[in-house]
Amino acid sequence: MQQARETLRVRLQAKLSHADVDWGLAQSLSDAALEARLFRPAVPRSSHQLAPDFGLVHQELKRVGVTSMLLWEEVLAPSCT
């Protein structure tokens, strides 16, 4: 946490903001409160970003002429957009 606090000090003294925290606020917050403010919980993935069927990918890679790049282009890439 000390490294994060020092990074904030350097950044905020240059008049750059991060997570709506200024240097005065950063100094007054406890380590736990500062960490909670800087590192918010990850946003859960939406349902359209499902993990690929790795069993199917493994089976397809056994076929002659099938490469991981080909599978990416045909199967995985459209689901990432």
Side-chain angles (χ1 to χ4, degrees):
M1 204 63 233
Q2 181 62 32
Q3 185 177 3
R5 194 175 298 275
E6 180 64 15
T7 302
L8 268 176
R9 184 189 66 76
V10 171
R11 183 176 178 96
L12 295 172
Q13 283 182 343
K15 303 289 191 249
L16 302 172
S17 70
H18 182 76
D20 295 326
V21 177
D22 63 11
W23 181 236
L25 180 62
Q27 286 182 308
S28 67
L29 293 174
S30 68
D31 284 349
L34 181 59
E35 184 174 357
R37 194 128 199 211
L38 293 177
F39 306 108
R40 297 186 183 186
V43 176
R45 290 180 151 198
S46 60
S47 62
H48 73 276
Q49 293 178 327
L50 300 175
D53 180 357
F54 289 107
L56 176 64
V57 170
H58 183 70
Q59 282 299 116
E60 289 294 316
L61 285 173
K62 289 182 180 180
R63 296 176 47 201
V64 175
V66 176
T67 64
S68 56
M69 181 57 86
L70 181 64
L71 280 177
W72 172 258
E73 291 170 354
E74 292 180 353
V75 179
L76 299 176
S79 67
C80 291
T81 57

